[in-house]
Amino acid sequence: MAAKTERTFIAIKPDSVQRGLMGEIIKRFEQKGFRLVFIKVASEDLLKQHYIDLKDRPFYPGLVKYMSSGPVAAMVWEGLNVVKTGRVMLGETNPADSKPGTIRGDFCIEVGRNIIHGSDSVESANKEISLWFKPEELVSYKSCAQDWIYE
């Protein structure tokens, strides 16, 4: 692949897991051509650390309670412009502002249950990935479809 790839952090939130949407969300990233590098389930302590920058906000306790109410599938995806493209695929933070065809536009209604998190920049992605995953957990491989996706 000639172009430089990057990695992003995507978390499928408890409401997605409970509603059986994990497969559909993973499918969309795979069909786009991105590679899944690793996936695991989160702990409450890790969730508190992930949202530490929001700890002084009034919604922080409710956010941590919601995020730890069930399984969270934390993933790393790799590909060309995966951060920016991933954010477009997710839709707006507020589902009411999300276009049909986006994950949030298709599957959710309220911002408090917006089913998925995605890094908003390469810097955030690197920070979130290093918080959630050890370097040795992440795999690197070349998909046999790579030459059909990238020039």
Side-chain angles (χ1 to χ4, degrees), residues 24 26-34 77 89 149:
E24 177 65 31
I26 291 170
K27 175 183 169 184
R28 288 182 182 211
F29 278 84
E30 287 180 326
Q31 286 180 330
K32 183 70 176 176
F34 296 130
W77 288 91
M89 291 170 62
I149 296 169

Side-chain angles (χ1 to χ4, degrees), residues 46-142:
L46 191 52
L47 292 164
K48 286 179 182 176
Q49 189 62 32
H50 179 84
Y51 289 110
I52 196 73
D53 58 323
L54 302 174
K55 72 177 169 43
D56 296 327
R57 305 289 296 269
F59 59 83
Y60 177 76
L63 175 62
V64 172
K65 182 178 178 185
Y66 153 62
M67 289 296 292
S68 59
S69 68
V72 172
M75 301 175 289
V76 177
W77 288 91
E78 186 176 72
L80 182 63
N81 297 315
V82 70
V83 174
K84 180 180 178 183
T85 304
R87 293 288 291 189
V88 171
M89 291 170 62
L90 268 56
E92 300 298 321
T93 301
N94 185 343
D97 299 329
S98 295
K99 292 181 173 30
T102 65
I103 292 168
R104 290 179 178 142
D106 288 350
F107 299 117
C108 55
I109 297 169
E110 292 191 275
V111 71
R113 297 291 182 265
N114 69 2
I115 74 172
I116 194 164
H117 165 84
S119 301
D120 61 5
S121 68
V122 173
E123 295 76 27
S124 292
N126 291 335
K127 178 183 164 195
E128 292 169 345
I129 291 167
S130 67
L131 173 66
W132 286 76
F133 302 96
K134 297 174 187 157
E136 61 271 15
E137 290 179 311
L138 304 175
V139 297
S140 186
Y141 64 96
K142 180 180 177 182

